[in-house]
Amino acid sequence: MPNVAVLDMQGKKVGTIDLNDAIFGIEPNAAVMHQMVVNYLASQRQGTQSALTRSEVSGGGKKPWRQKGTGRARQGSTRAPQWTHGGIVFAPKPRSYRFSVNKKVKRLALKSALSSKAAAEEIIVIDSITMDEYKTKTMVSMLKAVGAEGKALIVLPEVNNFVIASASNIEGVKTAQVNTINVYDLLNADKLIIAKDAVAKIEEVYA
């Protein structure tokens, strides 16, 4: 069972916490984590590219020359794909790149990502992440105190607008709640900063 120090926002150790083996101590499954990362990135694609087919390009209503007797190949329209200014063959159209993933695979991938972070000692548990004003400076000093000055993911037990807004100005720092964490953000972060209450919620939901 992974044992992690619990720090306060000033970086001082205030205790320890045992992380649940069923979530933070399994053998990471690289294949399902890869599948979830691909799923996440596919869902981010807008899929708004569009081009015109031969039926959508303006013009080309008149047959360019008669069917027979000219010695040239028969042509029905100047908007066929082989013509300049013609339509596009199999033109891309707006579409969704999303695809569904089995719920069991999602859970296994999330547990694998959390376990890989625990194994790499990249999890920092904070006793309580609270703020009573919008202050980026306070958030920067907290990250510096706990040794997470690079890319970091801050996981909160619930929405805290002061914390979220204060972290939003810091490059490489993202915030999430227990119900919005995803495999991509977990793997992309150098450090995973979790509020102690959020750890309890994660274990309650995924154990």
Side-chain angles (χ1 to χ4, degrees):
M1 184 174 286
N3 185 274
V4 178
V6 178
L7 310 177
D8 61 15
M9 290 182 67
Q10 287 71 46
K12 296 176 182 176
K13 183 176 177 180
V14 294
T16 59
I17 185 172
D18 289 324
L19 302 178
N20 193 323
D21 267 340
I23 299 169
F24 296 94
I26 71 168
E27 181 69 30
N29 187 319
V32 296
M33 287 193 289
H34 175 264
Q35 186 177 350
M36 285 308 301
V37 168
V38 171
N39 176 265
Y40 175 86
L41 294 175
S43 298
Q44 304 308 301
R45 295 183 68 176
Q46 287 188 316
T48 53
Q49 75 277 35
S50 184
L52 303 180
T53 62
R54 62 182 292 169
S55 66
E56 295 169 318
V57 181
S58 63
K62 182 184 177 185
K63 189 174 173 67
W65 52 76
R66 69 178 191 266
Q67 181 81 348
K68 292 179 175 293
T70 64
R72 290 178 288 185
R74 56 195 176 191
Q75 301 291 330
S77 168
T78 56
R79 293 300 179 260
Q82 72 271 22
W83 286 73
T84 303
H85 308 304
I88 304 298
V89 182
F90 306 128
K93 292 296 178 185
R95 55 163 287 192
S96 171
Y97 288 89
R98 293 172 181 270
F99 62 92
S100 61
V101 178
N102 187 295
K103 185 186 282 187
K104 287 183 179 179
V105 173
K106 289 181 182 179
R107 292 175 72 92
L108 177 58
L110 193 67
K111 290 178 182 180
S112 294
L114 290 169
S115 295
S116 66
K117 285 293 174 189
E121 298 183 350
E122 294 174 355
I123 293 180
I124 300 169
V125 179
I126 306 293
D127 186 39
S128 178
I129 305 174
T130 56
M131 294 176 66
D132 53 10
E133 61 178 341
Y134 299 107
K135 200 77 172 177
T136 301
K137 190 175 180 180
T138 304
M139 184 58 61
V140 170
S141 54
M142 183 201 83
L143 293 171
K144 188 175 181 180
V146 300
E149 294 179 90
K151 290 192 291 185
L153 176 65
I154 301 171
V155 181
L156 306 170
E158 56 199 19
V159 174
N160 184 317
N161 291 324
F162 291 120
V163 174
I164 294 168
S166 299
S168 65
N169 290 332
I170 308 171
E171 187 177 357
V173 176
K174 292 187 72 172
T175 54
Q177 290 78 53
V178 172
N179 60 342
T180 62
I181 53 176
N182 63 75
V183 175
Y184 177 84
D185 286 339
L186 287 170
L187 297 178
N188 190 46
D190 295 329
K191 295 289 184 182
L192 175 60
I193 302 169
I194 314 180
K196 189 177 179 181
D197 289 346
V199 173
K201 278 196 173 185
I202 289 172
E203 292 181 345
E204 181 183 340
V205 173
Y206 295 102

